[in-house]
Amino acid sequence: MSVGVLVSSVPRDAIDHAVARCGVGVKRSDGKLPPHVTAYLTMGLWLFPDDDYTEVAAKVTGSLDRFGCWDASWSAPEFGHLVSA
């Protein structure tokens, strides 16, 4: 399965609706990623368990950009500091 299939199978509207219904919308405006991006990243990590976090983030953000769900002012998360040597 590709991230594009994920984004088309689980449309942003569905995620936005679930976020609003649960009352866990954006709580900060400091450039952090919004809930829909976090949801897609989480699903991407489940879809690609053998890929590292940075690779999954690149796949997800690239697909979100192609589907118009990515804002150029956001930056893809960097997980290098989470990996222990």
Side-chain angles (χ1 to χ4, degrees):
M1 177 178 237
S2 72
V3 177
V5 171
L6 169 66
V7 175
S8 62
S9 297
V10 183
R12 178 177 174 182
D13 291 345
I15 292 176
D16 290 344
H17 176 74
V19 166
R21 186 172 172 112
C22 293
V24 292
V26 175
K27 299 201 183 345
R28 301 187 251 178
S29 61
D30 59 357
K32 300 292 181 190
L33 296 176
H36 77 276
V37 175
T38 304
Y40 284 121
L41 284 169
T42 302
M43 288 184 275
L45 290 169
W46 280 97
L47 278 175
F48 305 105
D50 296 330
D51 294 349
D52 64 36
Y53 296 123
T54 304
E55 190 174 353
V56 172
K59 288 178 183 180
V60 170
T61 56
S63 289
L64 291 178
D65 187 40
R66 286 188 297 281
F67 279 84
C69 297
W70 183 257
D71 186 313
S73 68
W74 302 330
S75 53
E78 297 177 14
F79 296 101
H81 66 281
L82 298 176
V83 179
S84 60

